[in-house]
Amino acid sequence: MNMLPAISPAQARLPRTYEAARTALAECQSVDECKDWSDKAAALASYAKQAEDETLMRMAARIKARATRRAGELLRQIEPGQGARDGKRGEGDHTPLRRADAAREAGLSKHQQVQATRIASIPEPEFERQVESPKPPTLTQLAQQGIQPKPAPKPVMDLNGRDPRDFNRALHFVGDFEGYAKDLDGKDVVGVCTILTPSERERLRDAINRIDAIHDQIMTRI
């Protein structure tokens, strides 16, 4: 026969009412106090599981979720790598308390710190809906929802919805004309025309006529 875990009467009766626990956790102002609530809820859940008390198990799960979320809310008020804005200081060198320091001093592991801050990022209405459901989610399930999706990488160039092959054709087409214009801008056009032979002038006129015809087609379509 399985023995029930060693648990004090105070823990077994935690809390007298669930609503009282909700109120107390909402007003909690220290991470270590939230950690204490979470530990007691875990002990209560273990007791309820072996006692096969489903109602007590649900209450313990809800308290643990709320305690973890409140700890995350308090930790999120502290910048990850900087000092707390609330004026809290570390001992000795009087350096500002960091988020990792606050979590560690409250007895939270790195995993628990990350889990708490992720749960705290869930929108409150969604958190309330799930925690108050007939089957409250586990902390792992809640924390998974708090993972911020990475933004999709931006393309190196904006294709404006075009097929990459069409984009490439357009890029080279415009580039050809820009290169042509730049090349002519750098030439002594008037000076070169004075030294052309009659046959070269004829060839140039023919080329310009062909280019003009192409230009007309382009100008009527852009």
Side-chain angles (χ1 to χ4, degrees), residues 39-178:
D39 290 345
K40 289 181 179 179
L44 187 65
S46 178
Y47 180 90
K49 182 176 181 180
Q50 293 197 43
E52 298 183 351
D53 188 333
E54 295 292 335
T55 300
L56 194 60
M57 285 180 62
R58 284 193 295 271
M59 184 178 71
R62 288 167 180 153
I63 293 173
K64 190 172 180 65
R66 291 184 181 281
T68 303
R69 177 180 172 85
R70 182 56 184 160
E73 290 174 343
L74 294 172
L75 289 171
R76 279 163 62 91
Q77 295 176 14
I78 307 173
E79 295 295 333
Q82 301 176 10
R85 295 177 181 175
D86 58 5
K88 292 181 180 179
R89 300 279 177 174
E91 295 181 0
D93 58 0
H94 300 290
T95 56
L97 190 69
R98 298 179 305 166
R99 182 181 296 180
D101 297 330
R104 184 171 57 253
E105 290 178 10
L108 297 179
S109 66
K110 179 63 177 177
H111 169 74
Q112 290 173 321
Q113 175 194 335
V114 172
Q115 188 178 65
T117 53
R118 285 178 176 175
I119 292 175
S121 70
I122 301 174
E124 185 174 358
E126 183 59 23
F127 174 81
E128 290 291 338
R129 182 188 68 78
Q130 294 185 59
V131 170
E132 295 302 321
S133 67
K135 187 177 180 180
T138 64
L139 296 185
T140 299
Q141 291 170 333
L142 286 169
Q144 188 66 29
Q145 298 173 45
I147 298 176
Q148 299 298 323
K150 294 183 179 180
K154 295 182 179 180
V156 177
M157 300 190 72
D158 186 2
L159 305 186
N160 292 313
R162 292 176 293 181
D163 182 279
R165 290 171 297 183
D166 290 338
F167 171 80
N168 190 56
R169 288 176 59 199
L171 185 67
H172 284 85
F173 185 71
V174 175
D176 286 342
F177 278 88
E178 290 176 337

Side-chain angles (χ1 to χ4, degrees), residues 208-220:
I208 291 174
N209 287 333
R210 289 162 56 195
I211 291 172
D212 283 345
I214 295 172
H215 287 177
D216 287 343
Q217 293 181 57
I218 295 172
M219 293 301 291
T220 58

